Amino acid sequence: MITPAARNRGVFPLTVRMVMIDLDGTLIDTVPDLAVAANRMLADIGRPARATALLRSWVGSGMLRFVKRSLTGEMQAEPEPKLFEQALGLFRRHYAAAVSDLSRPYPGAVDALVRLQDQGFALACITNKAESFTLPLLRNLGLSHYFKLVLSGDSLPAQKPDPLPLRYACEYFGISASQAVIVGDSANDVLAARAAGMPVICVTYGYNHGQSIRESHPDALVDSLLELPTYLQLDA
């Protein structure tokens, strides 16, 4: 289904060679494992547990900010440095031990990867999640082989919403920004795409800090990654 947002903002199908896909909230629902790790960390330091719905709204800006939000209960507040370092170490340990216990690809996500790969699109995973969690998560869920490039939040000097990961991916595949599209769930994905000069398609079911992704005005909205082939054609 092509939405009014898509019709108003661009011409479809897009002719591209490479599709970049975000991880948390777009490809995989990772909140169940993130919530368990965060609440185990909070229990270790004598803090009460956070509701999963609240933790869900804090995902998307990288691990450091997620831990800070879990400690302070606020989006941008800074916890006491020593407490933060302690909490960060605890969170890393708990999350590494169970990074894929409860996390699962969204319905239709794997089928979408198969279709895009079969149609000849180069696939890249661009996430703000740390590499030490990204790679095991993809591997454990059997998704690694779909991606010719994986860029994590600590792979480069900057992460989304900075356009650097998107530009790096284009250089890696030897293509221009106009030959790529990013698929995500948050304002960070839209901001990165705009700065990189490329189109962006967003899923309606993602995290995005509790805000409607429609407010960020992506070029198109999809209810499932299975809808992507409707929007894309291969630039041979």
Side-chain angles (χ1 to χ4, degrees):
M1 174 184 66
I2 296 182
T3 67
R7 288 195 294 268
N8 290 338
R9 295 193 61 85
V11 177
F12 294 90
L14 299 169
T15 302
V16 299
R17 292 174 57 189
M18 188 257 291
V19 181
M20 290 173 276
I21 302 178
D22 174 59
L23 188 62
D24 300 73
T26 302
L27 182 64
I28 301 173
D29 183 9
T30 55
V31 162
D33 288 316
L34 288 167
V36 168
N39 281 325
R40 285 175 177 169
M41 172 270 290
L42 291 169
D44 286 346
I45 61 174
R47 297 285 186 90
R50 302 284 190 184
T52 298
L54 186 59
L55 291 163
R56 181 178 296 271
S57 72
W58 291 340
V59 175
S61 300
M63 178 182 58
L64 301 186
R65 182 51 59 186
F66 178 73
V67 172
K68 289 179 179 181
R69 290 167 179 167
S70 300
L71 286 172
T72 66
E74 299 180 26
M75 293 297 288
Q76 299 300 330
E78 293 292 326
E80 193 275 324
K82 289 185 178 180
L83 176 63
F84 171 66
E85 289 302 319
Q86 178 189 11
L88 181 61
L90 291 167
F91 177 83
R92 284 182 183 273
R93 177 164 58 84
H94 289 308
Y95 191 45
V99 69
S100 59
D101 281 7
L102 302 173
S103 298
R104 295 293 181 269
Y106 285 101
V110 176
D111 287 340
L113 294 178
V114 171
R115 292 185 188 182
L116 292 171
Q117 189 177 66
D118 287 347
Q119 290 171 6
F121 294 101
L123 299 180
C125 180
I126 312 293
T127 177
N128 284 349
K129 184 186 290 293
E131 183 179 272
S132 59
F133 306 123
T134 298
L135 298 184
L137 177 61
L138 290 173
R139 181 178 63 249
N140 293 350
L141 296 183
L143 302 177
S144 299
H145 67 281
Y146 291 108
F147 298 105
K148 294 183 178 180
L149 175 67
V150 176
L151 292 178
S152 303
D154 50 359
S155 298
L156 299 169
Q159 59 181 226
K160 298 177 296 183
D162 193 283
L164 177 61
L166 283 60
R167 290 172 174 162
Y168 181 96
C170 289
E171 292 177 4
Y172 179 89
F173 288 103
I175 62 174
S176 66
S178 64
Q179 294 175 301
V181 61
I182 182 168
V183 182
D185 70 315
S186 74
N188 282 341
D189 298 302
V190 177
L191 290 170
R194 298 291 176 240
M198 67 177 60
V200 54
I201 297 173
C202 285
V203 298
T204 57
Y205 53 76
Y207 305 149
N208 197 35
H209 316 308
Q211 303 298 313
S212 172
I213 191 58
R214 289 172 174 82
E215 298 174 6
S216 296
H217 306 292
D219 296 302
L221 293 167
V222 295
D223 297 321
S224 168
L225 292 180
L226 276 175
E227 296 177 39
L228 286 178
T230 303
Y231 294 83
L232 307 175
Q233 65 183 14
L234 184 64
D235 183 4

